[in-house]
Amino acid sequence: MNEALLRSLTPSVLGILVRRGADFAAAEDAVQDALVEAVRVWPADQPRDPKGWLVTVAWRKFLDATRSDTARRRREDLVDEEPAPGPAPAADDTLQLYFLCAHPSLTPSSAVALTLRAVGGLTTRQIAQAYLVPEATMAQRISRAKRTVSGVRFDQPGDVATVLRVLYLVFNEGYSGDVDLAAEAIRLTRQLAAAIDHPEVAGLLALMLLHHARRAARTVPDGSLVPLAEQDRGRWDTGSIAEGVGILQAALARDRLGEFQAQAAIAALHADAPTAEETDWVQIVEWYDELARLTDSPVVRLNRAVAVGEADGPRAGLTALAALDESLPRHAAVAAYLHERDGDLATAARLYAEAARKAPNLAERDHLTRQAARLNARGGL
């Protein structure tokens, strides 16, 4: 190692760094770092151009040190900019995210699926069950939606109808599924109702409140489901029922009927009955007719068959059910109930067992299994 050469080159290299814009102190530190590097590297491989090598290494050292110092100062500035300790300001962008994910470039069904997955926190399986499609189909739909919005600016919010559909499905999953999202869906729908004067927003909020009012009576301490007809109505939340009915009546008075208002009207009729036997099933069937006209949904027609069975007898309900696809979720459970009402216990027990195997969650499966066991024991089957 030629230490004399290094000492002789130092002033020249330092001058070059200063002329390139480095302040003297930083340039001096960089040159010293370069000299240390030369002592380490040169004995094995001394460069052909020692001065050029020192200038290059010293300049790199200077740039590295400058970047590091800039980053350090920025971190210090950020610390100075931090808010004082204490409660954070109340800011909730969740509802805005729902609108942004419901992007105009997506079809409504794709926007709903993407929002449920990205913001609502539902799994692909849960979303597929809500849409009555295979999980693989829903996974492809979500993937296509992601590709569609890839690179798109999220500055065009989607329409209210799509956001309402998302909130409705999130509530349904929270109310009857594996993840408790019902309270969050109600909170966001309240925010939307406060921001937008829309009868269907009010209808959805009323529907959620009326269903949620029965939450405490839907299960017993061990988690077992309690059918609506057997629920202790004294445990229903009368405050939520009154609020939901009031909101619904104001929405219906505007004479712009939508599916959520129709569903809320059905829920209100259930809530208004002092006992299960006093339920106005004839009017409920009429509301299901309106709902079927609005949605043409097979699930609505399935629920209508139950109402027809209550209003006009189980044979009438089974006739209505016969027009529907047997692959519909809960079709077997509805058929089992109507057959039991009609006195065909053997068929009902078999269908309850079949429905249990297809149940979307553990609580429902256990309930249907107990129903099958009850009828088997009762009939000596």
Side-chain angles (χ1 to χ4, degrees):
M1 165 61 64
N2 192 335
E3 295 183 9
L5 175 60
L6 288 175
R7 286 196 297 272
S8 66
L9 293 174
T10 297
S12 177
V13 173
L14 181 59
I16 292 172
L17 263 63
V18 171
R19 288 195 297 275
R20 286 187 176 183
D23 66 80
F24 186 85
E28 188 176 31
D29 289 340
V31 171
Q32 291 301 318
D33 289 340
L35 292 175
V36 171
E37 187 71 2
V39 170
R40 185 181 68 82
V41 173
W42 283 13
D45 185 21
Q46 183 168 327
R48 295 181 179 179
D49 180 6
K51 180 179 177 180
W53 189 97
L54 284 172
V55 169
T56 299
V57 173
W59 183 249
R60 288 174 181 167
K61 297 287 186 182
F62 165 76
L63 292 178
D64 290 344
T66 300
R67 293 189 187 103
S68 178
D69 188 56
T70 301
R72 177 186 56 76
R73 286 199 300 270
R74 178 55 183 157
R75 288 194 297 272
E76 292 172 350
D77 291 340
L78 289 173
V79 170
D80 293 338
E81 294 168 8
E82 285 183 0
D92 184 2
D93 298 325
T94 307
L95 190 59
Q96 182 65 16
L97 287 175
Y98 273 64
F99 272 96
L100 292 179
C101 285
H103 198 273
S105 64
L106 296 171
T107 63
S109 62
S110 294
V112 170
L114 179 62
T115 313
L116 288 171
R117 186 73 186 93
V119 186
L122 272 65
T123 66
T124 303
R125 176 183 60 82
Q126 291 168 326
I127 301 169
Q129 288 175 347
Y131 269 91
L132 311 181
V133 300
E135 184 175 347
T137 300
M138 183 52 64
Q140 291 174 356
R141 183 179 300 178
I142 294 172
S143 294
R144 284 196 299 270
K146 289 179 179 179
R147 288 196 298 270
T148 299
V149 299
S150 177
V152 172
R153 286 179 57 84
F154 278 75
D155 54 2
Q156 296 177 271
D159 66 337
V160 174
T162 300
V163 174
L164 287 179
R165 176 64 49 189
V166 174
L167 290 169
Y168 173 68
L169 292 174
V170 168
F171 176 82
N172 279 348
E173 188 60 40
Y175 189 71
S176 61
D178 301 326
V179 182
D180 187 359
L181 298 168
E184 174 69 359
I186 291 174
R187 184 183 71 83
L188 293 174
T189 306
R190 282 192 187 280
Q191 285 187 8
L192 188 58
I196 299 176
D197 183 19
H198 192 298
E200 272 295 82
V201 176
L204 179 59
L205 179 57
L207 174 64
M208 290 179 175
L209 290 170
L210 289 165
H211 276 307
H212 207 60
R214 303 199 299 261
R215 187 72 178 267
R218 289 186 73 245
T219 58
V220 293
D222 68 359
S224 302
L225 290 179
V226 180
L228 176 60
E230 301 172 18
Q231 289 177 14
D232 177 1
R233 300 185 178 218
R235 299 186 65 198
W236 289 1
D237 183 346
T238 55
S240 292
I241 291 174
E243 182 185 6
V245 169
I247 292 171
L248 173 63
Q249 288 175 339
L252 291 175
R254 301 177 65 176
D255 198 24
R256 290 169 54 192
L257 183 64
E259 63 172 299
F260 295 123
Q261 295 169 73
Q263 288 192 57
I266 293 169
L269 286 168
H270 283 297
D272 188 53
T275 65
E277 292 72 25
E278 296 173 87
T279 303
D280 189 346
W281 286 106
V282 172
Q283 193 173 170
I284 287 175
V285 171
E286 292 173 356
W287 275 112
Y288 270 122
D289 289 338
E290 288 286 347
L291 191 55
R293 180 183 60 80
L294 289 166
T295 66
D296 194 30
S297 164
V299 174
V300 168
R301 297 188 185 280
L302 183 70
N303 291 331
R304 179 185 177 277
V306 176
V308 169
E310 298 290 352
D312 302 326
R315 294 287 177 90
L318 287 168
T319 299
L321 186 65
L324 301 177
D325 188 343
E326 293 184 2
S327 66
L328 275 173
R330 298 186 172 88
H331 184 285
V334 170
Y337 174 75
L338 292 172
H339 277 291
E340 179 183 358
R341 288 279 318 281
D342 195 40
D344 187 351
L345 303 188
T347 300
R350 175 179 57 79
L351 288 169
Y352 275 130
E354 177 185 333
R357 292 192 294 270
K358 299 177 180 178
N361 56 67
L362 183 61
E364 190 168 337
R365 187 191 71 189
D366 289 347
H367 169 72
L368 292 167
T369 300
R370 283 193 296 272
Q371 295 292 84
R374 173 180 58 82
L375 291 186
N376 284 330
R378 179 178 165 187
L381 302 175

